[in-house]
Amino acid sequence: MFFFIFFFSIFITQIKLMIKNYFYITLLAAIFFTTSANAQDNKQPKTQEDTSIEGLNLYPNPVTSGKIYISSKKDLEKEIIIFDVLGKKVLQTVISGKELNLSNLSPGVYIIKITEEESTSSRKLLVQ
């Protein structure tokens, strides 16, 4: 009988310890997931409507003649940044007209980022 009581008390102690650990693990998980959800809710991503250039036109695409023409509704000065597919900046310039010389770019796929005033748009650009 003594062994039974001894093992039973050890068993009860282990159960209490497991319940205590389960409580702390559940509490930590609840805190972690609550703060993660709040951190994501506070981010306000810009939508494309908020930043896109109105009436942007980019032609010809694919580029075959070494020149591309960029126009927009406002036709203001534009900052142009071109990245290769690895994200490396290969060209950065400012244009006040519509024509951009791309003859020094190797054939391939690029991303062109155009900024006019506070608006920015990005497009895929093919150079042949």
Side-chain angles (χ1 to χ4, degrees):
M1 184 73 175
F2 175 73
F3 290 113
F4 177 74
I5 294 173
F6 177 72
F7 287 119
F8 186 72
S9 65
I10 291 175
F11 178 72
I12 295 297
T13 305
Q14 292 295 324
I15 296 268
K16 287 179 182 178
L17 184 61
M18 285 184 349
I19 291 172
K20 184 178 177 183
N21 288 340
Y22 179 75
F23 172 75
Y24 287 125
I25 290 170
T26 306
L27 181 65
L28 288 173
I31 291 170
F32 174 75
F33 287 115
T34 303
T35 56
S36 295
N38 289 340
Q40 290 177 359
D41 290 342
N42 292 336
K43 295 178 183 173
Q44 295 291 329
K46 293 184 179 180
T47 61
Q48 190 168 357
E49 291 86 30
D50 293 341
T51 61
S52 64
I53 298 173
E54 190 175 350
L56 180 66
N57 196 6
L58 183 73
Y59 60 94
N61 194 6
V63 180
T64 55
S65 64
K67 292 182 183 178
I68 192 166
Y69 300 92
I70 304 169
S71 63
S72 65
K73 186 174 181 180
K74 294 181 182 179
D75 271 335
L76 300 174
E77 187 175 78
K78 296 170 187 60
E79 178 187 23
I80 309 294
I81 305 174
I82 299 179
F83 302 94
D84 64 11
V85 290
L86 299 176
K88 180 181 174 189
K89 189 187 305 181
V90 294
L91 177 69
Q92 182 170 5
T93 189
V94 175
I95 61 170
S96 54
K98 294 182 180 186
E99 186 176 307
L100 177 62
N101 184 2
L102 300 177
S103 60
N104 58 345
L105 290 182
S106 302
V109 179
Y110 297 91
I111 301 297
I112 183 168
K113 180 180 174 185
I114 305 162
T115 304
E116 182 181 61
E117 286 186 328
E118 299 298 316
S119 301
T120 302
S121 291
S122 297
R123 301 281 189 274
K124 181 167 73 169
L125 179 66
L126 301 172
V127 177
Q128 294 181 340

